[in-house]
Amino acid sequence: DKTIPPFEMYTEVIQNSVIGLIREGRIKFGSACSLTVTNDCLEGIYNDMDFFRDKLVLRPSEISNSPEIVRRLGVISINTAIDLYGNVNSTHIGGTKMMNGIGGSGDFTRNAYISIFTCPSVAKEGKISAIVPMVSHHDHTEHDVNIVITEQGVADLRGKSPKERA
């Protein structure tokens, strides 16, 4: 969406898509504790170091994931996955199979100015709902979830009762 002005990104991990947005001028600056990019993307960064010199910084995780810094900066956190009441499981499939680590998402979610969670409303090629009645594993409770966004729209959960959240 071209109506979103260029912004700065303060995160734990920078991936290929962020590098592309920096190249396009959509992201002005990226700060993280790690790069998780393909070899081609990394080679492109190395080959264009003069361009990226003032657009990327990697910091120790003690700084990038510091709850105090996240809060002071007024970060808007964006993570993924949700249940009907706003609880989040972003690490375990079916409560048993580990999909990925929680990383610094807790630090960002609990201390952000606004915490946003995004996910598709359906999974498995539309055969099942990705919004479930209850998560089998909690990474983030409903108390830390402010806004949910799916392709169906936006739900602002702030100040809502459990019934209103559902």
Side-chain angles (χ1 to χ4, degrees):
D1 185 345
K2 299 290 185 187
T3 62
I4 298 171
F7 58 93
E8 295 177 358
M9 185 170 192
Y10 188 88
T11 185
E12 181 177 29
V13 178
I14 290 179
Q15 298 172 330
N16 283 34
S17 58
V18 174
I19 298 302
L21 291 171
I22 291 172
R23 285 188 183 282
E24 293 170 19
R26 305 286 307 280
I27 293 178
K28 299 186 290 187
F29 183 81
S31 170
C33 65
S34 66
L35 284 174
T36 304
V37 297
T38 62
N39 288 337
D40 289 342
C41 184
L42 185 59
E43 187 175 324
I45 294 168
Y46 288 152
N47 291 339
D48 209 359
M49 193 60 76
D50 286 339
F51 173 79
F52 285 102
R53 168 179 332 262
D54 60 352
K55 292 174 183 61
L56 280 177
V57 67
L58 296 180
R59 307 172 195 272
S61 63
E62 294 83 9
I63 294 173
S64 69
N65 293 14
S66 167
E68 190 275 331
I69 293 174
V70 169
R71 184 172 300 251
R72 184 167 15 122
L73 291 175
V75 167
I76 297 171
S77 75
I78 302 175
N79 290 289
T80 189
I82 201 80
D83 81 0
L84 193 58
Y85 295 97
N87 298 295
V88 174
N89 171 13
S90 58
T91 59
H92 293 77
I93 298 172
T96 58
K97 184 179 176 190
M98 184 111 177
M99 184 172 62
N100 61 320
I102 190 169
S105 67
D107 299 322
F108 283 87
T109 298
R110 282 186 292 279
N111 296 288
Y113 175 67
I114 297 175
S115 63
I116 299 170
F117 282 84
T118 64
C119 69
S121 63
V122 294
K124 305 285 183 186
E125 299 173 0
K127 294 179 183 157
I128 64 170
S129 176
I131 311 292
V132 297
M134 298 185 115
V135 291
S136 54
H137 168 86
H138 280 213
D139 289 314
H140 307 288
T141 72
E142 75 277 8
H143 306 292
D144 296 325
V145 180
N146 298 141
I147 297 172
V148 177
I149 302 173
T150 73
E151 76 282 5
Q152 303 296 322
V154 176
D156 188 339
L157 304 179
R158 295 173 288 180
K160 303 277 194 267
S161 70
K163 185 176 179 180
E164 292 170 322
R165 292 171 76 83

